[in-house]
Amino acid sequence: MKTYLSKKASSVSPYTAGEQPKDKKYIKLNTNENPYPPSPKAKAEYDSFAFSDLKLYPDPFAKKLREAIAGAEGVDAENVFCGNGSDEILALCFPAFFDADGKGAAFADITYSFYPVFCDFFGIKKNIVPLEDDFTLSFEKLKGTAAQGVLIANPNAPTGIGIPLPELEAFIAASDRIVILDEAYMPFFGQTAVPLTKKYDNVLVVKTFSKGYSLAGIRCGYAIGCRALIEGLERMRDCFNSYPVDSVCQAVCAAAISDTEYYREKNALVVSERARLSIELEKSGFKVLPSSSNFVFASHQKKSGKEIYEGLKERGVLVRWFNKPKIDSFVRITVGSKEENDGLLNALSDILRF
Ligand code: PMP
């Protein structure tokens, strides 16, 4: 049959998002969502939103939201860019900061699997840097690539490993390339590089409301950097969609980011559950990588990653398993509420009995 697809549409390998099965109610620990609801201030804003205002386009500059983000992050609003989830911002980074047929983008072999998808889509060369045996990133190896710029997820996904800020700063200070820091999981680590954006013009920090602000469903992310980098993103945005952040989202996220106390408390609960979960998993024979995120990456001595993933799914618990070299013995488990984590641990002890 004749196909009307372009060569690109027929040949790309798109990103695979975590599964969202609807056949029954699962304990859902596979897409790193926050187990707690968004803040009451965000809910009040949502509830009081004037529905009839939806007839108008949203503010294309997301002024109030950018001001709220700027206030919370200690930067100026002109240094903030907002997008429809941090995925969209990361996507815009590729045409904004990398030349097709240039020296390409450098990133780890085990990191957020959207980066290679974006490279392929925009025709940007991939400089893949293998992680060390302990899953840490070697800055020496990163420096050794000829790439035009570098992407680092900090904390990394799916390993959960965080890089201390002084190590990152040393790398950024010594580099004349753009360093894009994907801080999706920073609320569970607390060593943001945002202050470095005032000192260095080669660093862009990308953050999200999806994880630390319990707002994955509303799709909002933001980037912070010097004015020239933000302008690059604005130019790319206006080549695709001038209104990526809708009005409801702008209002709700501005209220959420102002509710520092609420999120500090809830994210501290996630961090303490992470410690408990890691200890319990180790007791039952798992090797657990040191996590600075809202998930743990664990492999079992006796059962394969696939067996654990499938056994848990049969028992109504969803986790993520990546069928990829180096990490196929692991499963990535989102830290849930205490009850969800107990459900996971019970299902695991059932699987490990055999
Ligand atoms: N970066 C990393 C490392 C992630 O794991 C995710 C979530 N899949 C994102 C960015 C994107 O998050 P969102 O688009 O929901 O902001």
Side-chain angles (χ1 to χ4, degrees), residues 15 85-87 90 112 115 153 157 182 184-185 208 210-211 219-221:
Y15 170 75
S86 59
D87 276 342
L90 291 166
Y112 189 31
Y115 307 155
D182 178 350
Y185 299 103
T208 179
S210 299
K211 318 291 180 183
R219 310 301 304 130
C220 193

Side-chain angles (χ1 to χ4, degrees), residues 81 120 139 171 280 337:
F81 176 87
D120 291 343
F139 283 113
F171 174 71
E280 291 303 323
S337 63

Side-chain angles (χ1 to χ4, degrees), residues 159-188:
T159 64
I161 294 176
I163 303 169
L165 191 55
E167 283 180 35
L168 264 182
E169 178 163 8
F171 174 71
I172 291 162
S175 175
D176 59 357
R177 301 183 277 191
I178 184 167
V179 180
I180 300 168
L181 299 173
D182 178 350
E183 294 195 350
Y185 299 103
M186 192 48 78
F188 314 100

Side-chain angles (χ1 to χ4, degrees), residues 89-90 93-94 97-98 115 149-154 177-183 202-206 229:
I89 299 176
L90 291 166
C93 283
F94 285 83
F97 307 121
F98 299 92
Y115 307 155
V150 169
L151 282 119
I152 302 173
N154 190 35
R177 301 183 277 191
I178 184 167
V179 180
I180 300 168
L181 299 173
D182 178 350
E183 294 195 350
N202 63 332
V203 60
L204 185 83
V205 176
V206 181
L229 298 183

